[in-house]
Amino acid sequence: MVDLSLLQDMHPVLQALFAGVFTWMMTLTGASAVFIIRDVDRLIMDVMLGFAAGVMIAASYWSLLAPSIEMSLQNGQLPWFPALVGFLLGGVFLRGIDKLLPHLQYGRPSNASEGIKTPWKRSTLLVLAVTLHNIPEGLAIGVAFGAVAGGGYPYATLSGAMALTIGIGIQNLPEGTVVSVPLRRDGMSSFKSFLYGQSSAIVEPVASVVGAALVILVRPLLPYALAFAAGAMIFVVVEEMIPESQRGGNAPLATMGSMVGFSLMMVLDVAFG
């Protein structure tokens, strides 16, 4: 058993901050691969993207949507309403950021950048693309820890929030590599590629704190906030991660990567949540 006594004594916002820093450090660890390797085969990249997508899909249901529905039932609300509204708003929110934030997906040519047109370099646009992925992940972590602070919800447990954090941290490992190694291949120095790769996840501690503070201050928003984070994560997975993992001609293995990622997150959440 993992001793959670130290975490239990912390304020939930501080718990969320530490969890966000952990997932950032996992991205940093993945980005450090650039000091060892200069390139990664497209097959491996696709499998890693598929794996990350599977983790996010599983986390969206087991750690976010299911607790949202259970909380609504416990509060005497229509069980599906907060989950539906929050989920759709999460997708709309990410779509808005997607339209505004300049970014470039891995494997795309420089003229295929999305968002507001800017003269920014390809490296900056690649980092911003992964930063976009990390916003909902940070929010999900923060909302999970904030839900624990709400009390009275069997589905909202500290071990469950930790399971979500570990799952997102695991999938952040390949994300760091997916950003840093292509930058190194394009001619950037190893150290600069590493700095760019890890910087994509700096947003996670910030989003974690925002998510936790919001649901603590406005407790009735909790079921909506959980579903909102789920909707934002699913938008990223369906709109970008899965299509990109399938584009390189390795669809069967990328799909198996998604299955493995989903299974891992499901086991973590059911076993510890």
Side-chain angles (χ1 to χ4, degrees), residues 13 40 60 76 82 97-98 107 132 151 165 175 181 183 189 197 209 217 239:
V13 173
V40 177
S60 296
I97 294 181
D98 193 49
L132 181 66
T165 301
E175 274 195 0
V181 171
L183 294 177
S189 70
V209 168
L217 292 173
E239 203 264 344

Side-chain angles (χ1 to χ4, degrees), residues 60 64 86-87 90 136-137 139-141 143 224-234:
S60 296
L64 300 169
F87 185 82
E137 293 173 11
L139 286 174
I141 291 170
V143 170
Y224 295 90
L226 286 165
F228 180 93
M233 289 174 67
I234 291 297

